[in-house]
Amino acid sequence: MALVKEIMGRSMIEKPPFLPSNTLKAIHHNQNLLPVNPVSVPRRISVVKAAISEDLAKFVKAEKPVTFKARAVLTVRNKHQEDLKETIVKKIDAFTDQIGRNVVLELYSTDIDPKTRAPKKSKEAVLKDWSQKSNLKSERVNYTSDLLVDSDFGIPGAITITNKHQKEFYLESITIEGFACGPVRFPCNSWVQSTNDHPNPRIFFSNQPYLPDETPAGLKLLREKELRDLRGDGKGVRKLSDRVYDYDLYNDLGNPDRGNDFIRPVLGGEKIPYPRRCRTGRLPTDTDILAESRVEKPFPLYVPRDEQFEESKQNAFSTGRLKAVLHNLLPSMVASISKKHDFKGFSQIESLYSEGLPLKLGLQDDLLKKLRLPNLVTRLHESSQGGGLLKYDTPKILSKDKFSWLRDYEFGRQALAGVNPVNIEKLKVFPPVSQLDPEIYGQQESALKEEHISGYLNGMSVQQAMEENKLFIIDYHDTYLPFLDHINSLDGRKAYATRTIFYLTQSGTLKPVAIELSLPRALPGSRSKRVVTSPVDATSNWTWQLAKAHVCSNDAGVHQLANHWLRTHAAMEPFILSAHRQLSAMHPIFKLLDPHMRYTLEINALARQNLINADGVIEQCFTPGRYCMEISAAAYKHWRFDLEGLPSDLIRRGMAVSDPSQRHGLKLLIEDYPYANDGLLIWEAIQKWVRTYVTRYYPDPSLVCNDRELQAWYAESINVGHADLRHENWWPELATGDDLTAILTTIIWLASAQHAALNFGQYPYGGYVPNRPPLMRRLIPDEHDPAYMSFLDDPQKFFLSALPSMLQSTKYMAVVDTLSTHSPDEEYIGERQQRYTWTGDEEMVEAFEGFSTEIQRIEKEIERRNRDMGLKNRCGAGVLPYELLAPGSQPGVTCRGVPNSVSI
């Protein structure tokens, strides 16, 4: 408490340095009239209206208003590394700063001047020490300026910055000193552009939160102007220096100008519903006016300037991206020279971690020279452990037991504690029933029969086992079957639509007992539906391993395209765009959401450029190929925001039932379900924090209903950002504090814990491709298949030929290694920038500290659970602990850590 007060400048004993001696005497004469630190809270709590006491105001009014000097301290963050051009421009700015091309400040009061009916303002002032400090190499530099204000100025509420230099600068914060209310903080965290690019001054508000109707008179026009600037006019091509947030369709994934192979459908609209993305305004392609022209790497896509990666994040991402280039380009050339694309054995896959890529002697230097990236190559080589630039890190799945991936136990464990633990469901109907339209896809009766699984049920019938909550299913039948004709016609791609039945054992683990493999119609030598069960001999063992590999390939696609990309990346983007467009920076809900929106627009733009685009990494590495994003769009038809919260999702999947007597209000059907167990702890902590925060500002439902910015944010998120689903009746209402708490808890959960659970295990589990192949190249042969004899003669060779090729595997591994990496500037749940000054509401600063303490307690509880030998899905010989929801992490690929936002 004392620390918070000290940092927030609550010590009122200090003498304001700018007051004349006779004024100070008046203050000391009546200490009881010293003002308190202003805090914006609901109407029931008074807000200080003046920067000086009433007695002092009378004293000043009796005489002539006096002009005083206040001090502004601007904290500017320097770049770690500057190129030659930036260094030259910086020196020019330092010189021209001395002759009037400088940084100009103007301070605004929360009060209106009764004479002019305009906000009270200071006189313009300039930063006086820019040129002297321009050569400082420290990460942060403090610049000062003296501001002249009248004695009846009131409380500072906003400040404008005009940057007359040529170069933008990153403004971290501003502190105004010299007012009787104590230091006034302005969290900025924003790039201030040169007037050459943006002639209008930038507006920054103090950290005092205000609901729209409580906005002080002096700030109302500035609040409205800032939001208008952020919305833009929806016209023109956006410049990289712009700060405009707007919506568009996904019409930039294809590149029809390159030919028919690069044409992709527009996602979003009545034909193919999809969330909206950030508008760039680029011109259409030459061959299709509905398709937006592409910007290809290494040139950047537009996102609003403040959404772009900061320097340390850029360096980490560019390093990872360079690794991807090296791991992609080099194997591509090696493969084209050797013409041997398949792995010869499992030992060759493992050699990727010990020996590196199998380059011919003397070839490596020639290839690296052709890259023309000597400096970056050197940097990577120096930063790579063991000095092996072309070596992959050993994935965590191999770290404890390199044969675990072969075992049925591990296959079942990963359904509960792997990288995609959100598709397992209780089996409610047997045989499973398809929801596909029979007029389009024909009758889709399951081939699963009771005799396929009855031998594993300890004497129970299937019905009894379902009633005892012993049977579970991962069902990808309806997801894949509509696309299988297209997928299986692609060169080197083969897939089934799979269903997997699991039995819950006495020890609380899942045992896979049957896998159904479906095709839309029989291909030559294949049946349209077949069921593979647990093996009884050598041949059935290899068939079983192939069937599990096809399930994992299905799972990898759904995980990446639906659960990860759609549900955490794409579905969150409209809420972020709308927040910037409709919620002022001084709105308490914007302050709450701010850390959970960091970097998401940038990473989504990079995905559109490099990952989900036509012939991008996702299409190249996953079974559906060019149909990947159509599968993602098909999943959006079933997306429901009201069921995206963890408790609702668990109940929807039948993995839990409502039980008010339980701590979280529900009872898990599988007690040792690590994702759900740990996730509920974080969900509860988020919910408690959000409820405390919402109650602070919305003690009455009428405040929620009458908050025009809040209502506009939620309405625009639905009606524009999710326009194709805007008429669905499942959208939650926003009429009470409880409504708002539920909506915000879901958004924060998705942006933080849900994304972390689905993202940061990608390389630890998928970096060993046999454990989780992203694509399959061969179907499983039966007795009538010409390939059956080669399968019998050398089943290992056949198995490896069905997995991704060496080129596909190494490319995929490089990408998921990048996506699984925490950057050095990662901000984890329970943390935030300017921790003690992000808001001027001291009570909420303390409440956030309580939330942070709870997150630390959860981390210790997760560590305890991972040592509990009774929890066999996370502890045991060779068993990986479940750490994907452990809140903190070091930089790198750690298979743990919950960042605040979707930042990679």
Side-chain angles (χ1 to χ4, degrees):
M1 179 71 176
L3 176 62
V4 171
K5 286 184 176 180
E6 181 180 345
I7 293 175
M8 294 184 69
R10 286 294 297 263
S11 177
M12 298 291 106
I13 308 304
E14 299 178 4
K15 298 177 181 179
F18 66 84
L19 295 178
S21 58
N22 56 349
T23 304
L24 288 175
K25 288 177 182 177
I27 293 176
H28 284 284
H29 181 70
N30 193 349
Q31 288 286 343
N32 292 329
L33 293 175
L34 275 173
V36 297
N37 192 46
V39 178
S40 168
V41 291
R43 296 181 181 85
R44 68 191 189 283
I45 302 177
S46 61
V47 179
V48 176
K49 294 295 184 183
I52 54 178
S53 70
E54 290 181 16
D55 277 7
L56 179 56
K58 292 175 183 176
F59 170 83
V60 172
K61 193 178 284 186
E63 300 182 2
K64 190 176 178 181
V66 183
T67 299
F68 299 112
K69 186 183 290 185
R71 192 168 88 127
V73 180
L74 280 70
T75 301
V76 173
R77 190 187 303 170
N78 277 336
K79 290 188 69 172
H80 296 295
Q81 297 175 328
E82 292 179 338
D83 58 30
L84 180 60
K85 180 181 177 182
E86 288 174 324
T87 302
I88 293 172
V89 172
K90 189 173 183 179
K91 291 185 180 298
I92 293 173
D93 282 341
F95 172 74
T96 57
D97 186 83
Q98 302 177 63
I99 57 174
R101 297 290 296 174
N102 40 32
V103 178
V104 180
L105 287 68
E106 200 167 16
L107 189 65
Y108 284 74
S109 170
T110 57
D111 294 339
I112 291 286
D113 188 325
K115 294 179 182 178
T116 64
R117 295 290 187 181
K120 294 179 181 178
K121 295 190 295 185
S122 71
K123 292 179 171 56
E124 287 189 351
V126 300
L127 289 189
K128 58 185 181 181
D129 48 0
W130 188 280
S131 58
Q132 296 95 306
K133 297 180 178 179
S134 62
N135 290 323
L136 291 178
K137 301 299 183 184
S138 57
E139 183 179 3
R140 290 172 177 81
V141 180
N142 290 332
Y143 298 96
T144 60
S145 178
D146 292 332
L147 295 159
L148 296 178
V149 298
D150 290 338
S151 54
D152 61 352
F153 182 81
I155 298 172
I159 192 167
T160 61
I161 311 284
T162 304
N163 177 15
K164 296 181 181 179
H165 293 163
Q166 294 186 55
K167 186 170 179 266
E168 65 178 4
F169 62 87
Y170 188 83
L171 181 59
E172 200 167 81
S173 65
I174 304 171
T175 302
I176 304 296
E177 300 170 342
F179 285 84
C181 62
V184 181
R185 316 282 183 178
F186 291 75
C188 302
N189 301 311
S190 180
W191 290 96
V192 180
Q193 298 298 323
S194 165
T195 52
N196 294 338
D197 295 314
H198 295 276
N200 295 327
R202 278 295 308 280
I203 303 169
F204 295 100
F205 297 103
S206 77
N207 62 357
Q208 303 302 327
Y210 296 105
L211 296 178
D213 286 346
E214 295 164 356
T215 308
L219 303 181
K220 286 183 178 179
L221 292 177
L222 291 174
R223 183 172 188 150
E224 293 169 3
K225 182 184 186 307
E226 175 72 352
L227 286 175
R228 282 198 306 272
D229 291 344
L230 290 168
R231 292 180 198 128
D233 60 6
K235 299 176 183 177
V237 179
R238 297 268 66 88
K239 298 184 297 183
L240 292 176
S241 59
D242 286 348
R243 293 172 58 248
V244 175
Y245 297 78
D246 206 351
Y247 303 90
D248 211 338
L249 306 171
Y250 278 74
N251 61 348
D252 63 341
L253 301 181
N255 190 353
D257 291 348
R258 288 185 62 184
N260 291 339
D261 288 344
F262 294 88
I263 295 174
R264 295 294 182 272
V266 174
L267 303 185
E270 187 177 339
K271 187 175 180 181
I272 306 180
Y274 213 64
R276 301 301 186 260
R277 48 95 174 176
C278 184
R279 179 185 179 275
T280 68
R282 295 195 305 270
L283 297 175
T285 60
D286 293 334
T287 53
D288 184 354
I289 196 170
L290 298 179
E292 188 171 271
S293 56
R294 296 272 305 164
V295 173
E296 302 294 355
K297 56 188 177 185
F299 299 104
L301 260 67
Y302 169 79
V303 293
R305 181 64 181 98
D306 291 339
E307 305 302 318
Q308 296 170 28
F309 287 160
E310 293 176 21
E311 189 177 16
S312 58
K313 181 80 169 181
Q314 280 183 335
N315 290 342
F317 196 79
S318 64
T319 298
R321 187 161 48 187
L322 178 60
K323 279 185 179 180
V325 170
L326 294 176
H327 289 307
N328 178 6
L329 180 62
L330 298 183
S332 176
M333 299 182 77
V334 171
S336 64
I337 294 169
S338 67
K339 303 297 183 186
K340 295 179 181 178
H341 295 273
D342 292 343
F343 289 108
K344 296 177 181 177
F346 292 106
S347 60
Q348 190 177 24
I349 302 175
E350 293 167 16
S351 73
L352 295 174
Y353 319 116
S354 58
E355 301 170 20
L357 289 170
L359 300 180
K360 292 183 178 180
L361 186 64
L363 182 62
Q364 181 173 344
D365 292 338
D366 292 334
L367 292 174
L368 290 175
K369 288 175 185 176
K370 291 178 184 178
L371 285 173
R372 299 179 183 176
L373 298 170
N375 294 333
L376 292 173
V377 169
T378 302
R379 191 177 77 209
L380 270 177
H381 183 78
E382 292 173 350
S383 67
S384 180
Q385 289 186 355
L389 175 64
L390 302 179
K391 284 188 344 188
Y392 290 87
D393 294 329
T394 302
K396 203 166 184 179
I397 186 65
L398 297 182
S399 64
K400 284 197 166 189
D401 179 356
K402 72 176 186 177
F403 299 112
S404 65
W405 68 276
L406 284 164
R407 301 189 183 105
D408 287 354
Y409 158 78
E410 178 63 18
F411 182 78
R413 192 194 72 84
Q414 288 186 31
L416 300 171
V419 71
N420 188 40
V422 298
N423 278 104
I424 185 79
E425 299 178 79
K426 176 188 173 182
L427 182 63
K428 299 171 184 175
V429 178
F430 189 85
V433 176
S434 171
Q435 300 301 315
L436 294 175
D437 186 345
E439 292 188 6
I440 299 175
Y441 302 103
Q443 294 296 329
Q444 291 295 325
E445 292 183 7
S446 174
L448 284 161
K449 306 294 182 188
E450 182 144 351
E451 57 264 27
H452 290 130
I453 61 176
S454 58
Y456 306 99
L457 304 184
N458 292 331
M460 290 186 289
S461 67
V462 171
Q463 185 61 36
Q464 287 174 317
M466 288 194 294
E467 291 172 358
E468 293 286 326
N469 300 324
K470 291 291 187 180
L471 289 175
F472 296 84
I473 186 172
I474 294 181
D475 190 345
Y476 295 134
H477 180 275
D478 289 3
T479 301
Y480 277 90
L481 194 111
F483 296 92
L484 285 184
D485 278 338
H486 294 304
I487 292 171
N488 288 327
S489 66
L490 297 172
D491 184 34
R493 307 292 169 100
K494 290 293 180 282
Y496 297 98
T498 66
R499 289 186 176 115
T500 308
I501 306 294
F502 296 88
Y503 175 71
L504 181 63
T505 68
Q506 289 290 102
S507 61
T509 61
L510 287 179
K511 176 179 175 57
V513 294
I515 296 172
E516 181 185 53
L517 306 169
S518 297
L519 295 168
R521 55 181 176 272
L523 295 177
S526 300
R527 290 167 280 175
S528 63
K529 291 188 186 296
R530 64 186 292 188
V531 175
V532 181
T533 57
S534 290
V536 294
D537 55 29
T539 302
S540 61
N541 178 67
W542 279 105
T543 302
W544 181 243
Q545 295 298 341
L546 281 166
K548 289 195 296 182
H550 273 282
V551 171
C552 288
S553 176
N554 270 195
D555 190 73
V558 171
H559 162 259
Q560 196 69 265
L561 302 170
N563 299 333
H564 178 208
W565 167 256
L566 171 66
R567 294 171 64 184
T568 66
H569 283 260
M572 286 299 97
E573 187 157 347
F575 291 100
I576 294 170
L577 291 170
S578 183
H580 285 282
R581 288 166 54 85
Q582 302 296 344
L583 295 176
S584 167
M586 66 176 82
H587 197 293
I589 299 305
F590 185 89
K591 291 179 180 295
L592 175 70
L593 287 176
D594 188 36
H596 305 290
M597 303 188 290
R598 188 183 188 212
Y599 293 152
T600 303
L601 298 186
E602 169 83 338
I603 194 63
N604 286 3
L606 287 168
R608 297 201 318 274
Q609 184 182 47
N610 302 310
L611 300 180
I612 63 173
N613 59 302
D615 200 37
V617 170
I618 298 298
E619 288 192 3
Q620 292 179 29
C621 293
F622 287 83
T623 296
R626 64 179 295 150
Y627 304 103
C628 279
M629 290 308 292
E630 291 182 54
I631 287 182
S632 181
Y636 182 60
K637 295 176 183 176
H638 306 288
W639 178 84
R640 286 183 54 165
F641 179 78
D642 63 322
L643 298 180
E644 286 296 281
L646 179 59
S648 298
D649 179 58
L650 291 170
I651 292 171
R652 167 176 58 177
R653 292 189 282 121
M655 298 302 292
V657 293
S658 296
D659 186 345
S661 67
Q662 297 290 320
R663 173 179 173 181
H664 304 291
L666 53 78
K667 176 179 172 57
L668 293 173
L669 269 57
I670 300 178
E671 292 183 9
D672 183 14
Y673 185 180
Y675 158 77
N677 292 125
D678 295 357
L680 286 168
L681 294 178
I682 295 179
W683 171 271
E684 184 179 62
I686 294 170
Q687 185 181 55
K688 181 180 177 182
W689 156 236
V690 172
R691 181 178 289 119
T692 299
Y693 194 88
V694 167
T695 302
R696 171 72 164 166
Y697 299 101
Y698 300 96
D700 188 270
S702 64
L703 293 170
V704 174
C705 295
N706 295 327
D707 186 335
R708 58 185 179 277
E709 286 185 9
L710 182 72
Q711 294 294 336
W713 162 69
Y714 188 55
E716 185 176 281
S717 299
I718 297 170
N719 295 321
V720 182
H722 287 281
D724 304 326
L725 300 180
R726 66 187 182 278
H727 297 305
E728 298 293 339
N729 60 12
W730 44 254
W731 283 104
E733 287 187 337
L734 179 52
T736 68
D738 286 344
D739 295 341
L740 180 57
T741 296
I743 291 165
L744 294 173
T745 301
T746 298
I747 289 172
I748 294 172
W749 160 260
L750 291 171
S752 58
Q754 180 77 333
H755 177 260
L758 295 169
N759 184 74
F760 293 102
Q762 290 189 83
Y763 186 79
Y765 282 98
Y768 184 62
V769 168
N771 176 62
R772 192 172 172 76
L775 66 82
M776 295 294 285
R777 294 184 292 153
R778 305 188 75 165
L779 297 175
I780 302 174
D782 59 20
E783 295 86 346
H784 308 292
D785 193 317
Y788 189 68
M789 289 309 298
S790 62
F791 165 67
L792 292 178
D793 289 343
D794 194 339
Q796 176 179 295
K797 181 178 180 181
F798 187 93
F799 183 87
L800 290 170
S801 73
L803 297 182
S805 67
M806 182 187 295
L807 172 59
Q808 291 167 329
S809 297
T810 52
K811 183 186 301 183
Y812 171 75
M813 290 161 61
V815 171
V816 294
D817 173 70
T818 303
L819 297 179
S820 304
T821 300
H822 290 294
S823 69
D825 75 334
E826 200 85 270
E827 189 180 275
Y828 297 95
I829 192 166
E831 303 174 349
R832 62 179 300 159
Q833 295 179 0
Q834 289 136 349
R835 183 160 181 160
Y836 298 103
T837 58
W838 61 273
T839 177
D841 188 338
E842 181 183 312
E843 188 173 319
M844 289 301 96
V845 172
E846 289 185 54
F848 183 79
E849 289 305 296
F851 171 61
S852 181
T853 300
E854 177 62 14
I855 292 297
Q856 294 170 27
R857 189 197 66 77
I858 289 171
E859 184 150 14
K860 292 178 181 177
E861 171 61 16
I862 291 173
E863 291 171 359
R864 185 199 67 76
R865 290 174 175 181
N866 285 328
R867 296 190 299 268
D868 186 343
M869 290 296 293
L871 302 177
K872 300 186 183 301
N873 290 318
R874 63 194 306 160
C875 184
V879 177
L880 291 184
Y882 186 71
E883 298 180 306
L884 285 169
L885 288 173
S889 175
Q890 296 296 313
V893 179
T894 63
C895 201
R896 61 176 293 144
V898 179
N900 272 326
S901 62
V902 179
S903 59
I904 187 67

